Amino acid sequence: MSLPRRVRVTARAKLNLGLAVGPRRADGFHDLTTVFQSISLADTLLAERQPRGFRLIVRHEPAAERGRLTARTRAAVPVGQANLALRAARLAARHAGITGGARLTLIKRIPAQAGMGGGSADAAAAMAAIFALYDVRVPLAERLELGAELGSDVPFALMGGTALGTGRGERLRPVRGLQSFRAIVAVPAWRVSTARAFAELDRFRYGLTARNAPLRFGKVTGRMVIEPCEFIRLGNSFEAVLGARSPSFTGLCSRMREAGLLEPRMTGSGSAVFGLLARGASVRAVLDRLAGSEAVYVVRSARRALDIGRLR
Ligand code: C5P
């Protein structure tokens, strides 16, 4: 069987349906409890085999239903060597003993530094693309371990669906029975680095309040049928440490509620905020009522994070 000439990977974004951050650990990371959910908004990674070396081109494609991302936001996506996708491709190749290379084209739609796991999705896609291009089978547990070397959210970006995340986010347990949902995600112009957001939590010691979080999340995961709002209501620790951005976050949540969206909640360390669409609600009607300048995305929950297509 010949190797595929090209591979096309769909790499989906995630939302955190609730996120409780605990205290800082000795290794600098924070223990946390969260429920990750894959959503329909996705980047596309095209990979083409080349004899040696890895190259990456990034193209931005607008995906917002309304509003657009600023040039500053686009600039938040690293190009070249600094991009996690390139590091992931190299790591995957080294791990599998692949000596050949690949030319990667990343079509970027997931807003960067918004808490939607865009960089992790691209890293997961690059790993999957390299293994598919060179027809290497790597067991899931091994892929997840490799992903964790790249970032705390990369294992989930490889696994996808709905999962309870613990440890620094890399320990995953699939969650069954979560009802599918549609949501609107609003992305304000401000951005925050993950490291900086965690540092803010330390400053305010809010993490300490999250000690019994595994118990609270565990109670919900045990049910046969779970509504997404049951996790969402468990809160997001980062909402408490927004400082000067707090009024704008509160204002956005109010506008989302007034438009008919349910349980607005921040995802990851922000800045994106998502609100659930009630069953049968008209997206158009909600968007017409939703005031504001944020970039707005219409998404649905997805069962998978990655789709891999091989082109011969
Ligand atoms: O794992 P990742 O590289 O995405 O993390 C970026 C930064 O976010 C880490 O260097 C750390 O400062 C912070 N972090 C944390 N606790 C976590 C995940 C990330 O403190 N569970």
Side-chain angles (χ1 to χ4, degrees):
M1 206 181 72
S2 65
L3 293 177
R5 194 172 48 83
R6 293 205 314 152
V7 166
R8 182 182 196 277
V9 186
T10 300
R12 295 192 181 86
K14 58 86 176 163
L15 294 176
N16 295 91
L17 309 180
L19 170 58
V21 182
R24 192 170 181 273
R25 315 190 305 203
D27 64 2
F29 286 95
H30 294 70
D31 270 323
L32 54 80
T33 311
T34 186
V35 167
F36 290 109
Q37 173 64 55
S38 300
I39 54 168
S40 49
L41 177 64
D43 291 341
T44 302
L45 184 76
L46 303 166
E48 199 164 348
R49 229 160 348 102
Q50 63 180 25
R52 65 186 64 81
F54 294 89
R55 266 202 318 157
L56 173 75
I57 303 168
V58 181
R59 282 199 343 239
H60 294 269
E61 194 170 282
E65 186 68 29
R66 199 174 71 198
R68 37 172 60 232
L69 296 172
T70 59
R72 213 180 85 216
T73 307
R74 284 200 294 276
V77 179
V79 287
Q81 307 305 315
N83 194 292
L84 203 56
L86 210 49
R87 283 175 43 206
R90 291 208 172 98
L91 182 68
R94 202 176 330 123
H95 179 81
I98 296 166
T99 50
R103 199 166 62 216
L104 308 176
T105 305
L106 177 61
I107 302 165
K108 196 77 209 146
R109 300 185 196 89
I110 308 170
Q113 292 192 353
M116 299 175 79
S120 303
D122 302 339
M127 284 176 60
I130 297 308
F131 293 147
L133 264 186
Y134 288 92
D135 201 23
V136 177
R137 307 287 149 95
V138 179
L140 179 65
E142 213 173 298
R143 274 181 279 146
L144 297 183
E145 210 169 298
L146 208 55
E149 287 183 34
L150 294 161
S152 305
D153 288 351
V154 179
F156 176 73
L158 287 159
M159 193 171 94
T162 313
L164 181 74
T166 54
R168 61 183 166 97
E170 92 288 19
R171 287 174 50 191
L172 300 170
R173 211 179 70 206
V175 173
R176 309 206 186 283
L178 186 85
Q179 298 296 97
S180 61
F181 64 86
R182 294 179 303 157
I184 285 182
V185 185
V187 185
W190 64 271
R191 288 287 170 279
V192 64
S193 86
T194 311
R196 183 112 179 251
F198 275 103
E200 279 300 289
L201 276 175
D202 291 339
R203 225 157 66 84
F204 291 94
R205 295 179 173 274
Y206 273 105
L208 296 177
T209 62
R211 207 161 264 164
N212 64 357
L215 210 62
R216 286 185 286 132
F217 278 79
K219 267 190 188 153
V220 181
T221 52
R223 292 179 199 154
M224 293 284 281
V225 178
I226 310 166
E227 288 297 333
C229 60
E230 294 180 77
F231 287 125
I232 295 170
R233 282 191 197 127
L234 296 174
N236 179 327
S237 305
F238 289 106
E239 290 177 4
V241 293
L242 286 170
R245 284 160 182 155
S246 185
S248 97
F249 165 71
T250 312
L252 173 57
C253 290
S254 307
R255 280 183 281 122
M256 291 176 91
R257 272 192 216 95
E258 280 158 22
L261 292 166
L262 312 173
E263 311 283 346
R265 173 70 64 235
M266 184 167 275
T267 174
S269 52
S271 62
V273 179
F274 65 99
L276 300 176
L277 277 152
R279 280 196 198 282
S282 147
V283 174
R284 220 10 76 203
V286 170
L287 286 176
D288 285 348
R289 285 196 298 263
L290 181 61
S293 59
E294 292 85 5
V296 169
Y297 299 79
V298 180
V299 303
R300 55 178 66 241
S301 54
R303 289 174 179 276
R304 299 159 58 81
L306 300 175
D307 285 329
I308 304 159
R310 293 166 176 82
L311 311 160
R312 300 212 180 254

